[in-house]
Amino acid sequence: MMNQTKRLTHITMLIAISILFHLIESMIPIPIMIPGFKLGLANIVGLIALYSYDAKIMLGVNIMRVWMASLLRGMLFAPGFWLSFSGVLLSSIAAILARKYSPMSMYGVSCASSACHVIGQVCAVSILYHQFLMGALLPILLLLSIPTGLFTGMLAMQVLKRIQTER
């Protein structure tokens, strides 16, 4: 059993790492010319939080990541914040429900989360910018969410295996 200080330290480190991944990923140029496409590296940390702790911790890590990364970039409550927030909120709920109520592996949970992140962002773009044609990109973004979901799920699984062997 982990003592309270060690638990809080682990959770704080998850938040810090997810903020770092979020900031780094925003600087990585992606050669695919599709607006809104990202690899979702920070979602690896959310999955680790969900599988290491629980849904509440995952939601806290993900929300703190978006909040703090937006604050650090000077974009708190800017449209980019709302796009990230809507995506992370919907993807976190999807991951939590998929983990709790389905027989999906971490790969399936990650893909469901990735797909819902895309749906949340497209909905936010449609509302914020009155760009309902953005929905035309939804099938392409959903298709791309499968390999990115598999990739983030694989990395999260590898990290969890290494964490469990150290304990």
Side-chain angles (χ1 to χ4, degrees):
M1 177 101 180
M2 188 182 308
N3 71 32
Q4 194 63 23
T5 304
K6 192 171 184 179
R7 176 182 160 89
L8 186 58
T9 303
H10 283 174
I11 294 167
T12 305
M13 290 303 294
L14 287 173
I15 293 169
I17 292 167
S18 69
I19 292 167
L20 181 64
F21 283 178
H22 185 101
L23 293 173
I24 288 171
E25 188 171 31
S26 69
M27 294 183 252
I28 298 172
I30 304 289
I32 297 176
M33 299 301 290
I34 297 174
F37 177 74
K38 294 201 185 292
L39 296 174
L41 299 177
N43 295 329
I44 296 166
V45 183
L47 286 170
I48 292 167
L50 178 62
Y51 281 82
S52 294
Y53 295 99
D54 59 21
K56 185 173 135 185
I57 298 300
M58 179 217 200
L59 201 53
V61 166
N62 284 342
I63 290 172
M64 285 301 296
R65 165 180 47 102
V66 171
W67 182 271
M68 293 302 295
S70 295
L71 186 62
L72 288 169
R73 294 176 68 208
M75 299 178 70
L76 189 60
F77 303 125
F81 166 80
W82 293 111
L83 296 178
S84 289
F85 185 74
S86 61
V88 84
L89 192 60
L90 197 58
S91 70
S92 296
I93 291 168
I96 290 164
L97 293 175
R99 169 90 202 270
K100 188 170 184 174
Y101 296 110
S102 79
M104 287 185 198
S105 69
M106 186 181 293
Y107 291 107
V109 170
S110 182
C111 285
S113 175
S114 181
C116 285
H117 196 282
V118 166
I119 292 168
Q121 287 192 322
V122 168
C123 288
V125 165
S126 297
I127 292 167
L128 287 173
Y129 296 109
H130 303 286
Q131 284 289 342
F132 300 102
L133 291 177
M134 184 68 181
L137 286 177
L138 189 58
I140 297 165
L141 289 169
L142 285 172
L143 190 60
L144 288 170
S145 73
I146 296 168
T148 59
L150 291 171
F151 178 69
T152 57
M154 177 195 68
L155 291 176
M157 189 176 290
Q158 292 301 316
V159 169
L160 283 171
K161 282 181 184 176
R162 291 192 177 150
I163 288 172
Q164 290 170 352
T165 59
E166 289 178 6
R167 288 183 182 169

